[in-house]
Amino acid sequence: MLKAERHKYIMTKLVEEQKVVTTDLALALDLSEDTIRRDLNELDSKKLLEKVYGGAVQVKEKSADVFDIHISGEEEKKAIATKALSLLHDDQVIIMSGGSTNLVFAKLIPSHLKATIYTYSLPIAMQLSQHPNIDLIFIGGKMQKNAMVTIGMDVIQVVSKIKADICFIGASSINIKQGLTEIGYEISIVKKAMIEASDRVVSMFSADKLNTKMPHVVCDLNQLDTIVTNLDPEDARLEEYRKSGVFIL
């Protein structure tokens, strides 16, 4: 598909839905997320849309506040993240991956919670830096600028030495046969290390990620302890996941 055709498709979807999501566009157009991000950046530079964390929205006045990151579908993600708050308690050691749902979750963590949180996501680290009782460790490394996360061996070496009680891992896609999968190889490797370092693994995602797949496997479904979605746990769309033994919130 020519770039002009991609741009026309993106702008059409934006008019129809008022927002576009990078991972959804990558799947629909059978392209890499990096290609989609470049397209969104180019359209943003032409002021045809506003690039936001995880996708793009229709043009609006931009905030000068670096902490004010617009998140597409934030209300839905709040509903998901609110369910997961029940998994937190004082004195946990936690690892958090990047992703917009995890960022919303970070915003909702109660101010009284005392915990240690490791993350390689710059937006999540920025959010948690405002928390009065969180001992925050930002894992440095090569910055993947568009996603605002660190990647590479420096990150993996740090994560491999952590003994975490729980990790909250974002999901680009999930299905019964392949489990969690990612479009980016480097991110998939970091997430594998997170899982290995944690006693309990929780993945939060919206229902549109169900029964989809990306090129790089993160983990089998049986390596997840809990999944949290915007659906009722008894929803028929989750039946095969319930049968697999994973706990559903």
Side-chain angles (χ1 to χ4, degrees), residues 72-207:
S72 60
E74 185 164 4
E75 289 306 312
E76 179 181 79
K77 289 167 185 176
K78 279 183 181 177
I80 297 168
T82 298
K83 290 184 183 183
L85 292 176
S86 63
L87 303 173
L88 298 175
H89 59 77
D90 282 346
D91 301 320
Q92 283 177 314
V93 176
I94 300 164
I95 311 178
M96 291 181 66
S97 78
S100 53
T101 304
N102 274 3
L103 177 56
V104 172
F105 181 62
K107 292 181 178 183
L108 296 178
I109 294 175
S111 61
H112 60 78
L113 183 78
K114 297 178 181 178
T116 299
I117 299 183
Y118 290 83
T119 186
Y120 58 90
S121 164
L122 183 56
I124 289 173
M126 289 164 57
Q127 180 63 44
L128 293 176
S129 70
Q130 308 301 299
H131 197 291
N133 293 306
I134 295 295
D135 188 6
L136 172 66
I137 297 97
F138 178 64
I139 305 172
K142 178 184 177 183
M143 179 63 70
Q144 192 177 77
K145 294 179 182 178
N146 290 327
M148 291 190 285
V149 296
T150 53
I151 54 175
M153 285 306 302
D154 290 338
V155 178
I156 292 168
Q157 286 174 359
V158 172
V159 171
S160 67
K161 295 176 182 177
I162 299 170
K163 301 298 181 185
D165 298 300
I166 190 167
C167 93
F168 293 93
I169 191 166
S172 292
S173 60
I174 186 169
N175 66 70
I176 294 296
K177 291 184 178 180
Q178 284 85 19
L180 282 188
T181 54
E182 274 289 334
I183 197 163
Y185 173 73
E186 290 179 301
I187 292 294
S188 74
I189 295 299
V190 173
K191 287 185 174 182
K192 285 179 191 236
M194 284 178 56
I195 291 167
E196 290 296 322
S198 304
D199 291 337
R200 186 176 184 184
V201 181
V202 179
S203 188
M204 298 185 285
F205 52 87
S206 56

Side-chain angles (χ1 to χ4, degrees), residues 175-181 212-214 217-221:
N175 66 70
I176 294 296
K177 291 184 178 180
Q178 284 85 19
L180 282 188
T181 54
T212 63
K213 64 179 180 178
M214 297 288 185
V217 173
V218 174
C219 70
D220 293 334
L221 201 60

Side-chain angles (χ1 to χ4, degrees), residues 33-78:
E33 281 192 47
D34 284 340
T35 298
I36 298 300
R37 289 192 186 102
R38 286 194 294 270
D39 286 341
L40 295 181
N41 285 334
E42 184 173 338
L43 292 168
D44 180 272
S45 71
K46 295 177 180 177
K47 302 189 183 303
L48 296 174
L49 53 71
E50 181 180 354
K51 182 78 169 62
V52 298
Y53 190 69
V57 296
Q58 291 180 316
V59 175
K60 65 179 182 63
E61 185 178 353
K62 293 188 176 182
S63 169
D65 183 0
V66 71
F67 286 90
D68 185 17
I69 298 173
H70 180 87
I71 300 171
S72 60
E74 185 164 4
E75 289 306 312
E76 179 181 79
K77 289 167 185 176
K78 279 183 181 177

Side-chain angles (χ1 to χ4, degrees), residues 9-20 58:
Y9 177 88
I10 291 168
M11 294 307 300
T12 300
K13 294 294 287 184
L14 191 60
V15 170
E16 291 173 351
E17 302 178 10
Q18 291 77 56
K19 65 177 181 179
V20 290
Q58 291 180 316

